[in-house]
Amino acid sequence: VQLQASGGGLVQPGGSLRLSCAASGNIFVVGDMGWYRLSAGDRREYVAIISSVGSTNYADSALGRFTISRNNAKNTVYMQMNSLKPEDTAVYYCNVVSRSRTGGWSNYWGQGTQVTVSS
């Protein structure tokens, strides 16, 4: 299973970005899909998660500003990030739990996309 993340970039404080992460490969069922970030100092932080039926959960730092969504037909997860702050600067990684038709559940990570919030 491969995860292709995109959508990062440089944005001014208060701006918006939309991240995408598409899963492909030997996938039969996709479970939870989520986003994490790695900020300066190598501190990995949970950001948001969405279940296969659309239930969502957010870290306090993301609540009210970020919105996670998914397209099950495309095995893709999105995260709309609004009102970005300099402390949101990090490499964002998508995470997907899936299984093949004959295998068990496995956890996969995308390659990361850099988000920089700076004036």
Side-chain angles (χ1 to χ4, degrees):
V1 175
Q2 298 79 41
L3 303 184
Q4 183 64 47
S6 61
L10 173 63
V11 64
Q12 292 186 342
S16 299
L17 284 173
R18 188 189 192 217
L19 304 184
S20 300
C21 178
S24 61
N26 189 13
I27 298 172
F28 180 61
V29 178
V30 177
D32 292 347
M33 308 178 85
W35 291 94
Y36 294 74
R37 64 188 184 188
L38 193 65
S39 56
D42 292 335
R43 181 172 60 90
R44 190 170 76 174
E45 179 185 12
Y46 157 77
V47 180
I49 193 168
I50 184 167
S51 74
S52 58
V53 295
S55 299
T56 59
N57 186 271
Y58 297 90
D60 288 345
S61 59
L63 201 60
R65 299 187 299 126
F66 296 0
T67 302
I68 190 170
S69 61
R70 63 190 284 167
N71 183 323
N72 290 332
K74 296 182 178 180
N75 290 335
T76 299
V77 60
Y78 308 94
M79 188 161 71
Q80 178 67 42
M81 305 188 295
N82 298 328
S83 302
L84 283 162
K85 305 174 182 179
E87 50 264 43
D88 294 318
T89 295
V91 179
Y92 285 71
Y93 295 87
C94 56
N95 175 265
V96 171
V97 177
S98 71
R99 70 175 181 88
S100 65
R101 184 178 294 273
T102 58
W105 292 97
S106 296
N107 198 21
Y108 300 94
W109 292 90
Q111 84 282 11
T113 184
Q114 176 71 46
V115 171
T116 303
V117 184
S118 175
S119 56

